C-alpha cells in the first residue's frame, strides 16, 4: 500500500452569511455546530499538518489508506531502529465529533511518544458523529485491525510489516479515543481469528465515559476557562454520538451502568491514565474499580494538578512534567 498525504479538510465549510441563515440545534463553542437542516460545521480550532517531522526526532511518518470507500486513513509513526517494534493502534479524542489524526497537537504528541517509548504508532482517522454516530467509530477500529492482518498476510506494505511486531499490539487512545479502544477490544474478543495479531494490552488516557447520574467530580470539579471538557460539552457530545433515543446509561457511554453487559474484555492488562482536575476523574476511578472487581488486570495512575487532555493541549510546565511522566508509564507498560 503506497503512502500518501491526505487532505484533512473533510468538514463542511460555510460562509458567515450561510451560517447566520441556518438554525443551530447543537453547538460546542469554537468546535462544532449542528444545524436543523442536518448540516454540520466544524471550526478549525486546531491546525491540520502533514506527516512531515523534524529529522532530529528520528521518527518516520506516513499516511496510509485503510478504506477508501469510507475515507478511513491512518498516520504511521516509526522510530528509526533496526528491530521490529510493538505497534500501538491509537484513536484520537474529540467527543467522537471532532478531531483528526492530522491535528497538530496529536501529530506532535504521538511523534514524541513513538520516539520516547520506542514503539510504532498507527493513529486512526475514523468517521465522526453526528454524520456517523456510534458504533461507526468502533467499526472503523475493528476494520483497521483486520486491515493490519491483511497487510501482514499479503506484504502489501513492506515498510509496515518489516518495522512492526504484529504479535505485540496495543490499543490506545485519549478521551473518546480511549472509549473507542475499549470498545474495539471487546469486539475483537468476538472475532474468530486475527492471527498473527496478538493484543497485549490497552492504554486508556482519560477515557470518555458518562452516565445519567452525576459523579462528584462532574458536579463539583471547577474547570478553568476554555477547558477541554466541560459537563455541558460532554452532554452535547453524547447527544450527537449515541444512537437515537439512547441516554447516557447506554453501555457505550456507561459500561458500569446497572443492567449493562459485563466488562467482557480480553484478559490483557489495561492501563488507565486519570487527570486529577478532570470532570471524568470519578467516572474513570469507578471504571477501574469495576474492572478490578470483574477480575480484569487493570492499573491506574492519577496525574496531579492537570486537567482533561493536558498531554496535547496544555504547554504549562506542570503539564509538560506530567506528559513526560505519562510517556514513561506508557513505555514501562509496553516493555513488560
Amino acid at each position: 500500500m503506497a503512502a500518501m498525504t491526505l487532505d484533512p479538510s473533510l468538514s463542511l465549510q460555510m460562509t458567515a452569511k450561510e451560517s447566520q441563515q441556518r438554525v443551530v440545534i447543537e453547538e460546542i463553542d469554537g468546535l462544532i455546530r449542528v444545524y436543523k437542516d442536518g448540516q454540520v460545521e466544524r471550526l478549525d480550532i486546531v491546525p491540520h499538518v502533514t506527516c512531515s517531522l523534524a529529522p532530529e526526532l528520528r521518527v518516520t511518518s506516513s499516511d496510509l489508506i485503510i478504506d477508501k470507500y469510507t475515507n478511513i486513513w491512518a498516520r504511521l509513526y516509526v522510530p528509526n531502529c533496526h528491530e521490529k517494534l510493538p505497534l500501538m493502534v491509537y484513536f484520537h479524542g474529540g467527543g467522537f465529533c471532532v478531531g483528526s489524526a492530522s491535528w497538530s497537537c496529536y501529530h506532535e504528541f504521538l511523534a514524541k511518544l513513538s520516539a520516547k517509548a520506542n514503539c510504532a504508532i498507527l493513529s486512526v482517522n475514523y468517521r465522526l458523529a453526528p454524520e456517523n454516530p456510534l458504533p461507526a467509530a468502533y467499526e472503523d477500529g475493528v476494520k483497521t485491525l483486520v486491515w493490519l492482518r491483511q497487510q501482514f498476510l499479503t506484504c502489501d506494505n513492506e515498510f509496515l510489516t518489516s518495522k512492526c511486531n504484529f504479535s505485540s499490539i496495543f490499543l490506545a487512545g485519549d478521551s473518546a479515543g480511549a472509549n473507542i479502544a475499549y470498545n474495539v477490544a471487546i469486539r475483537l474478543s468476538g472475532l474468530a481469528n486475527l492471527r498473527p495479531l496478538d493484543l497485549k494490552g490497552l492504554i486508556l488516557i482519560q477515557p470518555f465515559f458518562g452516565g445519567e447520574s452525576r459523579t462528584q467530580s462532574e458536579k463539583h470539579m471547577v474547570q478553568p476557562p476554555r477547558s477541554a471538557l466541560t459537563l455541558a460539552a460532554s452532554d452535547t457530545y453524547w447527544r450527537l454520538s449515541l444512537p437515537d433515543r439512547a441516554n447516557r446509561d447506554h453501555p457505550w457511554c456507561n459500561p458500569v451502568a446497572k443492567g449493562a453487559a459485563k466488562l467482557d474484555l480480553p484478559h490483557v492488562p489495561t492501563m488507565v491514565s486519570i487527570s486529577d482536575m478532570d470532570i471524568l476523574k470519578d467516572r474513570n476511578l469507578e471504571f477501574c474499580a469495576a474492572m478490578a472487581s470483574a477480575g480484569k488486570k487493570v492499573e491506574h495512575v492519577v496525574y496531579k494538578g492537570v486537567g482533561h487532555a493536558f498531554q496535547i493541549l496544555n504547554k504549562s510546565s506542570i503539564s509538560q512534567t506530567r506528559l513526560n511522566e505519562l510517556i514513561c508509564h506508557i513505555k514501562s507498560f509496553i516493555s513488560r
Side-chain angles (χ1 to χ4, degrees), residues 26 36 62 66 82 95 98-99 135 145 148 152 174 181 199 204 217 261 274 280 292 300 306 318 336:
E26 294 282 9
K36 188 175 181 179
S62 58
I66 306 297
H82 298 296
V98 298
L145 272 295
L148 276 172
F152 179 88
D174 65 293
L199 181 61
L204 310 181
S217 61
I274 302 171
L280 298 178
H300 72 271
V306 289
I318 189 171
R336 293 174 191 169

Side-chain angles (χ1 to χ4, degrees), residues 1-153:
M1 180 72 69
M4 62 177 293
T5 299
L6 302 167
D7 181 1
S9 304
L10 303 177
S11 46
L12 177 66
Q13 300 296 317
M14 305 181 194
T15 66
K17 184 177 180 180
E18 288 174 323
S19 297
Q20 292 170 0
Q21 293 173 343
R22 292 184 169 92
V23 177
V24 176
I25 58 172
E26 294 282 9
E27 180 173 12
I28 298 174
D29 187 38
L31 285 170
I32 186 171
R33 296 189 191 105
V34 181
Y35 294 86
K36 188 175 181 179
D37 62 9
Q39 296 197 19
V40 178
E41 181 182 17
R42 292 182 176 85
L43 309 176
D44 292 330
I45 193 170
V46 179
H48 293 270
V49 295
T50 66
C51 59
S52 61
L53 291 168
E56 56 268 23
L57 195 57
R58 297 182 60 78
V59 173
T60 299
S61 180
S62 58
D63 289 343
L64 306 171
I65 293 179
I66 306 297
D67 186 342
K68 65 181 180 181
Y69 299 105
T70 53
N71 203 29
I72 307 168
W73 60 276
R75 181 160 293 179
L76 177 66
Y77 301 87
V78 180
N80 297 345
C81 65
H82 298 296
E83 74 269 17
K84 287 190 175 183
L85 299 171
L87 175 59
M88 181 189 301
V89 179
Y90 194 93
F91 302 95
H92 66 77
F96 308 104
C97 298
V98 298
S100 172
S102 66
W103 268 12
S104 59
C105 55
Y106 281 108
H107 188 56
E108 179 183 337
F109 167 56
L110 295 177
K112 182 176 181 179
L113 177 60
S114 177
K116 299 290 187 182
N118 200 34
C119 67
I121 299 176
L122 189 70
S123 176
V124 182
N125 203 75
Y126 52 87
R127 290 172 294 168
L128 299 176
E131 303 95 324
N132 302 283
L134 295 175
Y138 306 155
E139 293 167 351
D140 294 349
V142 173
K143 182 175 288 186
T144 299
L145 272 295
V146 173
W147 176 86
L148 276 172
R149 179 176 184 266
Q150 189 66 20
Q151 299 310 298
F152 179 88
L153 296 176

